Amino acid sequence: MINIIGLGYIGLPTALMFAKSGIKVVGTDYDANLVNSLQDGKLTFEEEGLEELFKESLSNGVEFSTEYQKTHTYILAVPTPFIKESKKLDPKYVISAVNSVLDVCEKGAVMIIESTISPGTTDKYIRPEIEKRGYVIGEDVHVMHAPERIIPGNMIYELENNARTIGTDDPEVGNKIKGLYSNFCKAEIIVTDIRSAEMSKVVENTYRDINIAFANELAKISRTDNMDVYEIIRTANMHPRVNIMQPGPGVGGHCISVDPWFLVGDYPDLTNLILTARKINDSMPRHVLGRIRDIMRKHDIKDISKVGLYGLAYKENVDDTRESPTLQLLERMDDHLAFGVKVFDPFVKERIVDHQFMNFEDFMNEIEIVVVMVGHDHIKNNMDFIKDKHVLDTKNICTFDSVYKL
Ligand code: SAJ
């Protein structure tokens, strides 16, 4: 039996995939409401294909509990929050989960940490925690790091088809765990050391952050001389060894905008490129504000409440708003005492900011400038509705001509 700890965005789909492949799984979370809801057959977040997967896993006997189970294999997918001020990772939930596992586990149990951890976390926090309790790592208990790589919006497909990494001190035990994951993962699974696993995860997200920063810098250069950045990137990407990503209103989410800071925090003298990329991406909401100001001036619109931000999520077709560019932009406006801009997102069903509309038509009726912040399908299907307004399209999704770009 596998006990999966933490039933959030990563833990739950992973638990369901194992259960679907016929393995006995118990999912544990300390949030009793969440566990009750899952026991009642109700999902706690939306994700493509999750509903069917949930049904299949239920019929395969997946169970949910607030209790840690006595068993041999644990997967830890608890949050690893990022401390905004210090730019460091807070390992408190991982440490507490490791301790709770130690309280109940069988001798020789394997603890696989899937949560993103900054490079060195296993050596710095997790090993000492285990040793302090008198356990010998490698005998009483094994520790592994198998970072997740799935992308919200395409999680189920990616769980099955993305290559995985397993970082371990002991390749023999690592290979057994590789066998376990291959029950649902059809792609290659690499067994490596823990430090490389920790580092490669953060490096993957940093690579993407730098690539997006490059695209964003190109957008700014293109703006000053009226060039079409999308056409330039599209053309450059025809080269077989060039693959530039897309500019946008900023980088959000809990991963790409966060992980590079771990490297900057630990190697401040060696991370010029990484830090610069972070700064460029963080500067994009300000760039969008400058574009809004340009459009307001051009059309002699003086009232900020005539501006509507479409999209609060950090990217298309998800309801996740963590570190979203729209929230970053609103924060910046707040700093400048500029209040009253209107906001709408069809995926965000709770009111989380001021002047947030729950109805698209009401939102549209109140504004003269629409700022497309996220490329939800909803807006792609509503082009007719928006095209009579002044539109600032930061995601390059609008299909009509008279549109302002980044
Ligand atoms: N973005 C751009 N331009 C682009 C692509 C993305 O501005 O060309 C923006 C998005 O709008 C969004 C942000 O970047 O605000 C991040 O979105 P994303 O879709 O690129 O990535 P995440 O944060 O949802 O997921 C990433 C993925 N990592 C990589 O692709 C290397 C995912 O595989 C990881 O599992 C996840 O981080 C994680 O948990 O670390």
Side-chain angles (χ1 to χ4, degrees):
M1 183 251 282
I2 309 179
N3 189 194
I4 298 196
I5 315 300
L7 296 173
Y9 285 112
I10 302 300
L12 181 65
T14 305
L16 302 182
M17 288 301 275
F18 273 118
K20 184 188 161 193
S21 69
I23 291 169
K24 174 80 202 136
V25 176
V26 178
T28 295
D29 200 294
Y30 70 6
D31 180 347
N33 287 334
L34 188 148
V35 169
N36 284 339
S37 158
L38 292 171
Q39 283 170 340
D40 289 346
K42 278 190 246 120
L43 280 174
T44 39
F45 63 95
E46 285 179 28
E47 172 68 32
E48 175 85 29
L50 196 61
E51 198 74 52
E52 294 101 82
L53 177 63
F54 188 36
K55 284 199 187 110
E56 275 180 87
S57 319
L58 283 173
S59 54
N60 268 8
V62 66
E63 285 177 46
F64 305 102
S65 168
T66 51
E67 303 289 321
Y68 283 67
Q69 309 293 306
K70 185 178 179 65
T71 186
H72 194 267
T73 310
Y74 298 85
I75 293 179
L76 278 54
V78 293
T80 40
F82 166 67
I83 309 165
K84 259 200 176 140
E85 298 71 41
S86 65
K87 311 281 187 211
K88 288 197 187 298
L89 176 135
D90 185 348
K92 68 178 174 210
Y93 296 113
V94 180
I95 289 176
S96 132
V98 165
N99 273 302
S100 304
V101 168
L102 291 178
D103 288 342
V104 297
C105 69
E106 291 171 1
K107 190 177 162 65
V110 183
M111 268 189 234
I112 305 151
I113 297 168
E114 281 211 19
S115 317
T116 299
I117 48 182
S118 56
T121 298
T122 308
D123 285 349
K124 209 155 125 201
Y125 298 105
I126 297 169
R127 289 186 204 276
E129 198 66 29
I130 297 172
E131 282 158 359
K132 174 165 104 188
R133 292 188 49 174
Y135 290 84
V136 178
I137 296 175
E139 282 178 29
D140 300 321
V141 67
H142 298 272
V143 180
M144 291 186 194
H145 180 45
E148 55 80 18
R149 272 182 176 156
I150 53 180
I151 200 147
N154 197 27
M155 287 179 156
I156 315 273
Y157 175 86
E158 292 206 351
L159 273 170
E160 211 169 319
N161 294 289
N162 283 2
R164 300 191 70 105
T165 313
I166 295 175
T168 174
D169 297 339
D170 183 337
E172 209 179 301
V173 190
N175 276 316
K176 283 195 188 139
I177 297 302
K178 172 177 169 172
L180 187 67
Y181 276 103
S182 15
N183 277 296
F184 68 78
C185 174
K186 295 192 288 207
E188 190 176 346
I189 302 177
I190 289 173
V191 177
T192 182
D193 62 283
I194 291 180
R195 205 56 206 242
S196 301
E198 288 175 334
M199 189 67 182
S200 59
K201 161 76 193 192
V202 169
V203 163
E204 288 161 16
N205 283 341
T206 304
Y207 167 81
R208 218 164 146 81
D209 198 42
I210 294 172
N211 194 336
I212 298 170
F214 180 52
N216 282 332
E217 189 155 281
L218 293 178
K220 287 183 177 178
I221 295 172
S222 303
R223 171 58 41 220
T224 57
D225 260 335
N226 232 348
M227 295 180 274
D228 182 346
V229 67
Y230 302 103
E231 187 61 9
I232 294 164
I233 291 177
R234 192 176 73 86
T235 310
N237 281 350
M238 304 294 270
H239 186 289
R241 285 171 295 283
V242 175
N243 190 11
I244 308 168
M245 291 172 68
Q246 294 300 307
V251 172
H254 178 55
C255 309
I256 293 184
S257 64
V258 168
D259 292 3
W261 285 118
F262 300 151
L263 294 174
V264 175
D266 285 343
Y267 307 98
D269 297 334
L270 302 172
T271 43
N272 297 336
L273 174 64
I274 299 171
L275 177 62
T276 304
R278 263 303 56 244
K279 285 185 178 162
I280 294 170
N281 289 337
D282 275 352
S283 77
M284 290 315 286
R286 202 172 56 229
H287 178 77
V288 175
L289 277 177
R291 295 292 293 141
I292 295 173
R293 184 203 51 215
D294 294 346
I295 299 165
M296 288 177 77
R297 281 211 182 120
K298 184 161 178 206
H299 297 281
D300 200 25
I301 297 169
K302 301 216 165 56
D303 182 359
I304 189 74
S305 70
K306 291 288 165 201
V307 177
L309 305 178
Y310 174 94
L312 252 175
Y314 84 90
K315 66 175 197 179
E316 64 282 359
N317 303 327
V318 300
D319 61 4
D320 191 340
T321 57
R322 288 178 296 177
E323 324 290 332
S324 89
T326 305
L327 291 177
Q328 294 177 33
L329 189 148
L330 290 170
E331 218 170 278
R332 207 128 291 154
M333 292 187 90
D334 232 45
D335 289 345
H336 293 93
L337 307 176
F339 313 112
V341 64
K342 301 198 161 65
V343 186
F344 171 76
D345 190 309
F347 283 86
V348 182
K349 307 264 165 33
E350 259 173 73
R351 203 162 260 123
I352 58 167
V353 294
D354 291 340
H355 311 290
Q356 182 183 341
F357 282 64
M358 293 297 149
N359 178 290
F360 184 52
E361 277 176 41
D362 293 348
F363 168 72
M364 290 300 292
N365 285 336
E366 297 269 329
I367 58 176
E368 288 175 41
I369 300 177
V370 188
V371 185
V372 177
M373 296 290 288
V374 185
H376 290 321
D377 287 346
H378 171 269
I379 195 141
K380 294 186 182 160
N381 298 332
N382 275 301
M383 283 296 145
D384 279 348
F385 254 118
I386 67 166
K387 69 170 187 270
D388 299 330
K389 310 270 180 201
H390 307 296
V391 179
L392 171 59
D393 177 10
T394 71
K395 297 299 290 182
N396 195 31
I397 54 165
C398 290
T399 46
F400 46 92
D401 284 340
S402 58
V403 60
Y404 295 97
K405 300 277 168 92
L406 262 186

